[in-house]
Amino acid sequence: MPASSPSSRRTRSEELIARLNSVQTPSEAKLKDLRDLKNQIIGNRTKKLDFLNLGAMPCIVSILAFVVSSMHSEGGAGQELNELIAIQAAAAIGSFACGLEFGVKAVLEVGAFAILMSLLSHPNEKVVDAGARTLKLIYQSKLAPKFEFVKEKNMGFLLSLLSSKNENVTGLGANIITHSCQTSMEQQALSDAGVITKLVSLLEGSLSQREASLESLSYVMKENPETVTKFVGPQNGRPVNVVTELIKDKYPRTRLLACTCLIIIRNTCTSYLQDAGIKTGLVLALLELLDDPGQVGDDAPFVLSSLIAEKEDLQMIAFDAKVVDKLCNHLETGPFQAKRLQGIFLALADMCSELECCRDRALSLEALSYIKDALEHDSADIRTAACIFLRNLSRSVKNLSAGHFTDATVTSPMVQLLCDSCTSVQIAALGAISNTVVNFTAHKSIFMQCGGLKQLVQLSKSMDSAIRVNAIWALRNLAFLVNNRCKEEILLELTTPTLTSLIYDPEASVQEQAFALVRNLIDVPQDSVKYVFAEDGLLLHAVGRQLHSTAKVEVLIQGMYILSNLASGNEIHKEAAMDQLFPQSTDSRLQIAAVWALVNLTFPNSPGACGRVIKLRNAGKVSQLKTMVNDPCLDVKLRARMAVAQSMMFIDA
């Protein structure tokens, strides 16, 4: 007899699925096969995908649906066998869903979710437990169905889960909250239904209950002062004390989740958790968790960032605890998974956002060399994080003037990132470039030699307003305190019509930066004001029209400084500034800019000053100035008194 061809032979996996699909296979054999399949796929992604491609999921769910319907009609040994099959089928489904989004998708597509939910009401505790375990795994995926808390029936069901004596069932309830609680309305509905009280009671339960509760509480309280107050208030703050103690727990994930919960409370209601001991305890706990080799260590830098971001006091505590040293040491001992490396750069960025001592320490530990490597990393998230770190590291006049960021090995990859396919990378790179090109001719020269100016001009025409505004911001800084040759290079590449179109941009933030760029272009040297008169005064007319039409204070401020710079020029320039009306405002920033322009217009040694003072008096501007001499803002008061004194010299005469 001839041998069969390889393509006609069934693999063991195919035979197993065939037996499970066959109505001829006895229930006892199906139970054995389900157990065998489950054991084969545990922790084996390849096996999971192989079985899914063979149609394992519809087969298993069909078996589960059959035994669930049969359990209502059979008793005795048949009932017991069906329960055992249900337990193994649910466990196999859970194994497919564990850590594999494709597996979760397969589970949901064949309708397994409703059948698994029905297991929770089964009288056999082991069946309930199997269903709850699998549903917990499904709810770890973003693909899990969203639970509608606002429906009364659903809220009652959720409370029944949280009240269960089975820890997997209560854990499921907590997981449902973590997955589905996304709006303040949902947070409030959960709070009003007494869910916070239920979750607090789980803090003293098993390890899995504690961790599920901590995670859920964070979602219920995030950015919601009312639910935070509901959690903090009862029992003289006992729930907060319990969570505070958990940052010293022996389990790393428990410590991390407790830290996250406390940070959310503090960030949401700054009046809470102001004790220096708690702040230090959080920093030290997270510092230790950075060393964890697993998922906790991957998440710890992000939690640390949420603690210290925009908080100088906590950054100082972290600096004293040598957090900068620890983070830089981790960069040296890498490599890491992309997520951890991203988190380390973001944590370093937050550490260096405010304090000079942190920047100095990071530079002394050669952090810049790690940034150079990260700028060319395959991961867009890491490239973005490295740019953000560089942006904050370069927020230092001292370090910029020392030439730390003028190296072409940093500048060249930064310019290349302006062409990155990822928008977030481009925006982060623009932010870093905006800092590094300020006021240092050497770096401006290297940047322009690397093609940076051409790229900034291209990005200023982007359809994405976030890219446009950041590109103009970088051009604004590139034009700051440079000679006319550099300004002419910028205008030659950008062109006056393009800059004019940016002044008319529909986004006010783009208008503001375009105005600021014009302001810098006509700043010192004095003859720079000629640029606004080019092409028949195209820029000047655009500035004037926008000053009359915009209501955005930030745009008006930059416009006033343009007029102030213009008014510092010769008589023609001053008269051009006079042709623009000064907007009235109570914003001190705008008042300072406007008064500076008036000071320049009424400068006594200027031949046409007397005529301008008369025009200003007739327009009511001198009277307006007199009301500002006692302004609560010192800068406004001083400049107003100077302008009034200069004006009165001519009026009295």
Side-chain angles (χ1 to χ4, degrees), residues 39 62 84 111 145 163 176 179 184 220-221 224 239 278 280 293 335 354 364-365 380 392 421 426 496 513 578 593 619:
N39 291 338
S62 176
L84 291 173
S163 302
I176 289 172
H179 175 80
S184 58
V220 174
M221 293 189 290
N224 191 320
I278 293 178
T280 303
E354 306 292 339
S364 72
L365 293 169
N392 288 353
S421 59
Q426 289 180 300
T496 298
Q513 295 308 319
M578 277 291 293

Side-chain angles (χ1 to χ4, degrees), residues 205-267:
S206 67
L207 172 63
S208 65
Q209 287 176 319
R210 283 201 306 274
E211 292 185 346
S213 172
L214 286 168
E215 196 166 11
S216 296
L217 283 167
S218 294
Y219 277 84
V220 174
M221 293 189 290
K222 189 173 184 179
E223 299 176 0
N224 191 320
E226 292 185 22
T227 55
V228 167
T229 302
K230 187 76 169 281
F231 173 77
V232 173
Q235 305 173 45
N236 296 317
R238 185 174 176 277
V240 176
N241 295 334
V242 172
V243 176
T244 304
E245 284 301 309
L246 289 176
I247 70 173
K248 297 177 279 189
D249 194 85
K250 67 178 181 178
Y251 294 103
R253 187 164 185 269
T254 301
R255 297 202 299 276
L256 183 72
L257 291 170
C259 287
T260 303
C261 194
L262 291 174
I263 292 166
I264 283 172
I265 292 171
R266 190 181 185 282
N267 289 350

Side-chain angles (χ1 to χ4, degrees), residues 369-381:
S369 64
Y370 305 118
I371 291 176
K372 293 175 185 176
D373 294 336
L375 292 176
E376 298 175 347
H377 199 281
D378 291 341
S379 166
D381 289 335

Side-chain angles (χ1 to χ4, degrees), residues 411-546:
T411 304
S412 180
M414 287 296 297
V415 171
Q416 290 174 24
L417 290 182
L418 296 179
C419 303
D420 200 277
S421 59
C422 179
T423 300
S424 65
V425 174
Q426 289 180 300
I427 292 172
L430 286 166
I433 287 168
S434 289
N435 278 3
T436 57
V437 298
V438 172
N439 199 22
F440 297 99
T441 306
H443 193 208
K444 292 178 196 284
S445 176
I446 294 171
F447 177 76
M448 293 169 81
Q449 288 168 14
C450 291
L453 174 59
K454 187 178 291 291
Q455 290 301 325
L456 291 181
V457 170
Q458 286 299 315
L459 292 178
S460 73
K461 303 170 186 176
S462 170
M463 296 299 291
D464 188 316
S465 62
I467 290 179
R468 279 202 313 281
V469 72
N470 280 281
I472 299 301
W473 200 326
L475 285 166
R476 161 196 178 175
N477 288 352
L478 190 64
F480 181 62
L481 294 182
V482 293
N483 56 36
N484 281 352
R485 180 183 171 187
C486 188
K487 291 178 181 179
E488 285 163 8
E489 282 189 62
I490 293 170
L491 270 177
L492 184 64
E493 189 68 44
L494 182 61
T495 74
T496 298
T498 299
L499 181 51
T500 303
S501 70
L502 291 166
I503 288 172
Y504 290 125
D505 194 277
E507 296 291 334
S509 57
V510 177
Q511 294 173 25
E512 178 191 354
Q513 295 308 319
F515 267 52
L517 172 55
V518 174
R519 171 188 171 184
N520 286 350
L521 286 171
I522 67 170
D523 200 0
V524 291
Q526 196 173 64
D527 64 342
S528 297
V529 294
K530 64 186 178 185
Y531 298 121
V532 295
F533 292 96
E535 301 192 30
D536 297 323
L538 194 60
L539 284 176
L540 183 60
H541 295 317
V543 168
R545 279 194 288 271
Q546 286 298 84

Side-chain angles (χ1 to χ4, degrees), residues 163-418:
S163 302
S164 173
K165 294 180 180 178
N166 183 306
E167 71 175 72
N168 280 315
V169 175
T170 55
L172 170 62
N175 283 7
I176 289 172
I177 294 169
T178 299
H179 175 80
S180 302
C181 185
Q182 297 171 353
T183 67
S184 58
M185 184 184 295
E186 289 168 337
Q187 290 173 323
Q188 201 58 52
L190 290 166
S191 176
D192 293 343
V195 165
I196 290 178
T197 304
K198 294 287 186 184
L199 291 173
V200 168
S201 68
L202 295 179
L203 290 174
E204 298 181 22
S206 67
L207 172 63
S208 65
Q209 287 176 319
R210 283 201 306 274
E211 292 185 346
S213 172
L214 286 168
E215 196 166 11
S216 296
L217 283 167
S218 294
Y219 277 84
V220 174
M221 293 189 290
K222 189 173 184 179
E223 299 176 0
N224 191 320
E226 292 185 22
T227 55
V228 167
T229 302
K230 187 76 169 281
F231 173 77
V232 173
Q235 305 173 45
N236 296 317
R238 185 174 176 277
V240 176
N241 295 334
V242 172
V243 176
T244 304
E245 284 301 309
L246 289 176
I247 70 173
K248 297 177 279 189
D249 194 85
K250 67 178 181 178
Y251 294 103
R253 187 164 185 269
T254 301
R255 297 202 299 276
L256 183 72
L257 291 170
C259 287
T260 303
C261 194
L262 291 174
I263 292 166
I264 283 172
I265 292 171
R266 190 181 185 282
N267 289 350
T268 302
C269 293
T270 54
S271 58
Y272 292 130
L273 305 179
Q274 286 296 325
D275 181 74
I278 293 178
K279 294 178 185 178
T280 303
L282 285 168
V283 169
L284 294 176
L286 291 168
L287 186 64
E288 184 180 345
L289 291 171
L290 291 172
D291 292 328
D292 186 272
Q295 183 67 43
V296 168
D298 291 343
D299 293 337
F302 295 93
V303 179
L304 176 63
S305 283
S306 70
L307 173 65
I308 62 176
E310 300 178 4
K311 304 180 192 74
E312 273 195 46
D313 60 331
L314 279 156
Q315 289 167 17
M316 196 68 235
I317 291 171
F319 176 74
D320 291 337
K322 299 193 180 303
V323 166
V324 174
D325 296 59
K326 169 78 81 172
L327 292 168
C328 288
N329 287 341
H330 273 282
L331 290 176
E332 185 178 358
T333 58
F336 299 111
Q337 293 288 337
K339 182 182 178 182
R340 183 175 298 215
L341 188 55
Q342 177 197 8
I344 290 171
F345 277 123
L346 291 176
L348 279 167
D350 282 317
M351 283 296 297
C352 296
S353 62
E354 306 292 339
L355 300 177
E356 192 75 358
C357 58
C358 291
R359 298 182 194 118
D360 289 345
R361 186 59 183 156
L363 285 170
S364 72
L365 293 169
E366 300 184 355
L368 204 53
S369 64
Y370 305 118
I371 291 176
K372 293 175 185 176
D373 294 336
L375 292 176
E376 298 175 347
H377 199 281
D378 291 341
S379 166
D381 289 335
I382 290 175
R383 296 196 299 276
T384 300
C387 288
I388 295 170
F389 180 27
L390 179 60
R391 181 194 69 196
N392 288 353
L393 197 60
S394 59
R395 290 177 66 179
S396 163
V397 174
K398 180 183 72 174
N399 291 323
L400 282 168
S401 59
H404 290 304
F405 309 100
T406 58
D407 191 340
T409 59
V410 175
T411 304
S412 180
M414 287 296 297
V415 171
Q416 290 174 24
L417 290 182
L418 296 179

